[in-house]
Amino acid sequence: MEKTNSRGIIAKAGRYGGTYAHKDIAFEFATWVSPQFKLYLLQEFERLKEEEQKLLGWTAKRELSKINYHIHTDAIKSHLIPAEVTQAQANIIYAEEADVLNVAMFGMTARQWRESNPDLKGNIRDYATINELICLSNMENINAVLINEGIPQRERLIRLNQIAIQQMQVLEGNSQRNLLK
């Protein structure tokens, strides 16, 4: 149970002081100012709450996409990057493996997506649905296993694409299973 302060209005002195009220009291005060002002305040409060929920959703989606990132990159580092390469060369290998997942999931590389969406900021994964991000997260883990088993990239791409198709059918095929949308 939440502990609440029994005082609904608090006055603080000093540089960052002011009078603070519980939101319900503030809304009632707004009615005293004018009914139109209260309506405006309620609408603005709801708008801000909706924006906050969108931001939280975006954050959750980004965190979800990072779940298996370290497992995936560790497999790449351990099995695909020779000790003699430069960091720039290693970065190309990491990008190629990220594009294996992008092609398996979206049918295009990150560069192809940027070229076909020049007005959009971010990357292909920023515009993915929650179900696509779930699938991508699963595919990062599976790709790491396949890399550890020494499966060639071409074969991994085909298998990952088949897995992506199957998982997306499951995730989007039954609306009752679609709990995270």
Side-chain angles (χ1 to χ4, degrees), residues 18-33:
T19 303
Y20 303 92
H22 185 275
K23 67 177 171 68
D24 293 335
I25 294 172
F27 291 147
E28 291 309 312
F29 179 75
T31 303
W32 178 78
V33 172

Side-chain angles (χ1 to χ4, degrees), residues 88-121:
Q89 291 168 324
N91 289 342
I92 291 170
I93 296 170
Y94 285 118
E96 286 173 353
E97 287 302 316
D99 273 339
V100 167
L101 298 175
N102 288 336
V103 170
M105 182 72 226
F106 303 110
M108 66 179 73
T109 65
R111 173 178 280 168
Q112 290 169 330
W113 183 86
R114 280 191 309 276
E115 289 170 356
S116 63
N117 297 285
D119 297 333
L120 295 179
K121 294 182 179 180

